[in-house]
Amino acid sequence: MKIRRAYEEPTRADGVRVLVDRLWPRGLSKDRADLDEWCKTIAPSTGLRQWYDHDPARFEEFARRYRGELEEPERAAALEHLRDLARRGPLTLITATKHADISEAQVLATLLQVRIPSP
């Protein structure tokens, strides 16, 4: 599981590349992005994103609230889809944020690295 910025050059080791932001990265062409999927549904709500504003002091609370949002049916289904992709092979979560280490992608990566029992 990797997290990469949308503006970085794709690599073969990325495996499946999934954009997890709600908005398309500014100034990035679809060809250059080289994405396999754009999973807008998994993104945090507008209200949560605006409250958080990538303030490092709020990351823990943001992560807690975001995990709560991921229990909503549509987001839960999107999270399960990402889990399925991760089970199949290398998965790279793509985000446009400058601080990927304190982004929704980091929260997702942590959740996806937790071993999920097979049904």
Side-chain angles (χ1 to χ4, degrees):
M1 172 73 54
K2 291 191 288 185
I3 300 171
R4 302 210 45 222
R5 291 200 61 230
Y7 305 103
E8 296 174 337
E9 288 296 318
T11 69
R12 289 183 209 202
D14 287 347
V16 176
R17 294 171 48 87
V18 179
L19 179 65
V20 294
D21 293 351
R22 186 180 67 84
L23 301 174
W24 186 262
R26 182 175 290 161
L28 184 66
S29 72
K30 291 189 181 194
D31 287 341
R32 185 166 175 255
D34 194 28
L35 296 172
D36 295 291
E37 291 187 28
W38 180 11
C39 189
K40 291 188 251 187
T41 308
I42 200 77
S45 67
T46 300
L48 181 56
R49 282 191 348 270
Q50 289 174 345
W51 170 82
Y52 175 45
D53 197 32
H54 284 89
D55 178 347
R58 292 182 173 179
F59 180 68
E60 292 303 318
E61 179 62 16
F62 164 76
R64 186 190 69 73
R65 291 182 186 187
Y66 181 42
R67 285 190 300 270
E69 287 188 351
L70 290 170
E71 293 177 9
E72 297 167 5
E74 193 174 18
R75 284 189 178 98
L79 181 59
E80 187 55 37
H81 174 67
L82 291 179
R83 283 184 174 129
D84 186 49
L85 291 175
R87 286 183 195 111
R88 294 180 192 179
L91 174 64
T92 299
L93 303 178
I94 306 296
T95 183
T97 183
K98 291 179 184 177
H99 305 287
D101 59 324
I102 57 168
S103 71
E104 77 271 8
Q106 183 61 53
V107 176
L108 292 169
T110 300
L111 289 171
L112 294 171
Q113 288 177 11
V114 174
R115 183 155 174 77
I116 308 302
S118 298

